[in-house]
Amino acid sequence: MKRVEHTIVEHTIVEHILMDTGLGKGPEEYGNMGDVSMLQVAVDRLHELFPEACIEVLTDSAENLARFCPAAIPLDNRGRALWFANGVLLGRYTNWATRWLVDLLVRLRRTVRSRFPELLRAIVIWRLKHRNRSADAEAVTAFRRALRNADLLLICGAGGFYDGSQRWNLEMLDLIEAAIHRNIPVAMLGQGFGPLSDSLVLKRAAKILPQVNFITLRGGRGSLDLLRSMGISD
């Protein structure tokens, strides 16, 4: 972690840290004690390095986060999910649309999100409030505030980049891309990559991961070879 401090956030005052994990979602979250341990260690070391920083962790369970990592602040995963939701422009008609139309609108949504985030925020918030989903609207607002204020995005140890975990892969890449667009330093620690042959994930990863500031790996040489194939330097 000291190398992360010196290479990524040198000469920067770190007041807000945003964290994502490989804990899974819903009932699976906090079910694997190995993943929980990596989260605990990451939060403790960040707290030692930046004792005054606010550490927000994306989670589905504020209660479990408080139990295992009392120094961290829970950030409702619903806000992130709704902000990056593919169907935000089609709403209830998403399942009826053709594949090419959905792909086109997903690309459009990414463009709007990166270039006109306040416009997209207004659309999302309006739709949620129009449907009497005030809690979801508040979650989106909280996520947007956390991303806007973040001085560092840290992805905690995970082995999620492999075939069979497409949804998690794309969600993680969306988050990383959003941070990069805001010039927020990104670190990914203790990551496992592969086996990965999903063309959609590989294409997105090859575009986004080379822009990540710092990546550390766990496991054998497969992860390193895969990242090299994406154009990521040692």
Side-chain angles (χ1 to χ4, degrees):
M1 282 299 303
K2 290 188 179 299
R3 184 178 177 188
V4 174
E5 180 188 21
H6 290 277
T7 59
I8 297 179
V9 291
E10 187 176 10
H11 308 306
T12 299
I13 297 175
V14 178
E15 297 179 339
H16 295 89
I17 300 171
L18 177 59
M19 288 186 62
D20 203 354
T21 75
L23 291 173
K25 300 292 190 298
E28 297 179 2
E29 195 178 28
Y30 300 95
N32 184 311
M33 293 311 299
D35 291 335
V36 171
S37 297
M38 286 189 288
L39 173 61
Q40 289 176 312
V41 170
V43 170
D44 288 347
R45 291 183 179 178
L46 286 171
H47 188 64
E48 291 173 5
L49 288 170
F50 312 108
E52 302 302 320
C54 167
I55 303 173
E56 292 187 274
V57 179
L58 285 157
T59 181
D60 287 338
S61 175
E63 296 81 5
N64 277 319
L65 181 67
R67 173 187 174 192
F68 291 111
C69 302
I73 297 173
L75 185 62
D76 195 331
N77 249 326
R78 288 180 299 170
R80 183 262 294 275
L82 289 165
W83 179 246
F84 293 117
N86 288 340
V88 68
L89 297 178
L90 280 177
R92 60 184 177 181
Y93 302 107
T94 300
N95 294 330
W96 300 349
T98 59
R99 183 71 258 173
W100 70 266
L101 179 58
V102 171
D103 291 343
L104 176 63
L105 288 176
V106 167
R107 291 194 294 271
L108 175 61
R109 179 215 60 189
R110 286 177 181 150
T111 300
V112 173
R113 191 177 66 223
S114 62
R115 297 185 181 180
F116 310 104
E118 290 307 311
L119 173 61
L120 182 60
R121 182 196 63 80
I123 294 173
V124 172
I125 296 299
W126 179 84
R127 289 179 64 88
L128 291 172
K129 289 185 175 180
H130 184 68
R131 297 178 179 180
N132 296 318
R133 295 170 60 181
S134 297
D136 288 343
E138 291 175 3
V140 171
T141 299
F143 171 74
R144 287 277 298 128
R145 180 172 56 247
L147 185 61
R148 183 176 62 249
N149 294 337
D151 299 307
L152 172 66
L153 170 63
L154 189 139
I155 310 301
C156 190
F161 278 94
Y162 68 94
D163 287 326
S165 190
Q166 184 189 78
R167 180 177 177 181
W168 185 87
N169 296 162
L170 296 177
E171 287 178 350
M172 192 66 68
L173 291 169
D174 281 341
L175 176 62
I176 293 170
E177 184 179 48
I180 291 170
H181 282 161
R182 298 192 62 85
N183 295 317
I184 299 169
V186 180
M188 304 176 68
L189 304 183
Q191 299 295 306
F193 290 85
L196 182 59
S197 60
D198 187 315
S199 59
L200 179 59
V201 174
L202 285 171
K203 183 177 180 180
R204 290 276 289 150
K207 175 185 176 183
I208 296 168
L209 292 185
Q211 302 177 72
V212 171
N213 298 81
F214 189 76
I215 301 175
T216 67
L217 302 177
R218 70 186 195 194
R221 292 178 56 85
S223 293
L224 184 58
D225 292 339
L226 179 58
L227 293 189
R228 283 172 173 163
S229 72
M230 297 181 191
I232 301 172
S233 69
D234 290 358

